[in-house]
Amino acid sequence: DGGITQSPKYLFRKEGQNVTLSCEQNLNHDAMYWYRQDPGQGLRLIYYSQIVNDFQKGDIAEGYSVSREKKESFPLTVTSAQKNPTAFYLCASRGLGQPQHFGDGTRLSIL
Amino acid sequence: SQKIEQNSEALNIQEGKTATLTCNYTNYSPAYLQWYRQDPGRGPVFLLLIRENEKEKRKERLKVTFDTTLKQSLFHITASQPADSATYLCAPDGGSGNTGKLIFGQGTTLQVKP
């Protein structure tokens, strides 16, 4: 079955550490996205990529970094510069003019 | 900047009634608008897409309207059931100046009581 896989489901970070969230898709989609969701809030766009080796900042990119070396993969690194990283992180992908497909998210907490 | 507004307060209705959710947008001329459902702890799931040249679209008990003059979309669930309880998100998309960026409204939480 085609879909998007996010791992891990739960992630804990110590203060001052960088952590990387994985997102893999086998839908052959060109575009991929990362969103952050805080409790009771909507989705806020962190980064997006429309093609391999290219990506753009979303509305809240500070403290995050991404790479898009392969079509299937769009990992998100939460750096130590992100002062409030505790949130639910969602990855999505889509084909041109098509709806988004979402993964089931990674919940990041600070120890 | 683009702005999307959905009713931030939860919508509580009785089973069997019609639920109507609103999505308003400003500084944007989308070519189409999407609606998603999100359950707690899960990623959103796509429900319906309506294009700017379509006034209304239906899928089973769901109906979406799109008024480009009012810059508004309405999402209706008829004969609502407790299983319809979830958060519903809208996302205007496409259109002139579109960069591929896709942003969502904050969502409206629907509670259907038996």
Side-chain angles (χ1 to χ4, degrees), chain B residues 87 98 103:
Chain B
T87 296
N98 177 49
I103 58 174

Side-chain angles (χ1 to χ4, degrees), chain A residues 65-80:
Chain A
S65 66
V66 293
S67 62
R68 186 84 188 277
E69 297 176 1
K70 298 186 301 181
K71 189 175 187 177
E72 303 78 24
S73 179
F74 192 39
L76 173 74
T77 296
V78 184
T79 74
S80 57

Side-chain angles (χ1 to χ4, degrees), chain A residues 8 11-14 16-22 63-65 75-80 85 89 106 108-110:
Chain A
L11 186 58
F12 299 91
R13 190 190 93 170
K14 292 182 180 179
Q17 267 186 345
N18 292 354
V19 290
T20 298
L21 283 60
S22 170
Y64 300 97
S65 66
L76 173 74
T77 296
V78 184
T79 74
S80 57
Y89 290 88
T106 292
L108 175 63
S109 300
I110 300 304

Side-chain angles (χ1 to χ4, degrees), chain B residues 1-111:
Chain B
S1 62
Q2 297 167 356
K3 191 174 180 182
I4 305 165
E5 290 185 353
Q6 295 185 250
N7 292 346
S8 56
E9 292 184 11
L11 180 62
N12 296 298
I13 65 168
Q14 206 65 35
E15 182 176 8
K17 299 294 186 183
T18 297
T20 299
L21 286 66
T22 304
C23 175
N24 295 297
Y25 57 90
T26 54
N27 300 323
Y28 202 175
S29 296
Y32 46 94
L33 193 142
Q34 305 178 41
W35 283 89
Y36 292 76
R37 168 183 172 141
Q38 186 178 24
D39 292 288
R42 305 297 300 273
V45 174
F46 170 73
L47 295 175
L48 277 171
L49 180 152
I50 184 167
R51 302 186 187 280
E52 60 181 339
N53 61 349
E54 298 174 312
K55 295 299 181 187
E56 178 181 299
K57 196 155 189 180
R58 293 175 185 261
K59 179 182 177 183
E60 299 174 351
R61 295 184 295 109
L62 308 181
K63 184 180 85 171
V64 173
T65 63
F66 190 12
D67 189 325
T68 56
T69 301
L70 293 178
K71 293 187 180 292
Q72 180 181 79
S73 175
L74 298 178
F75 178 82
H76 306 271
I77 305 176
T78 59
S80 59
Q81 305 167 358
D84 295 326
S85 299
T87 296
Y88 293 85
L89 305 162
C90 71
D93 194 16
S96 60
N98 177 49
T99 61
K101 181 178 178 178
L102 184 65
I103 58 174
F104 288 78
Q106 76 272 30
T108 298
T109 298
L110 173 67
Q111 283 284 350

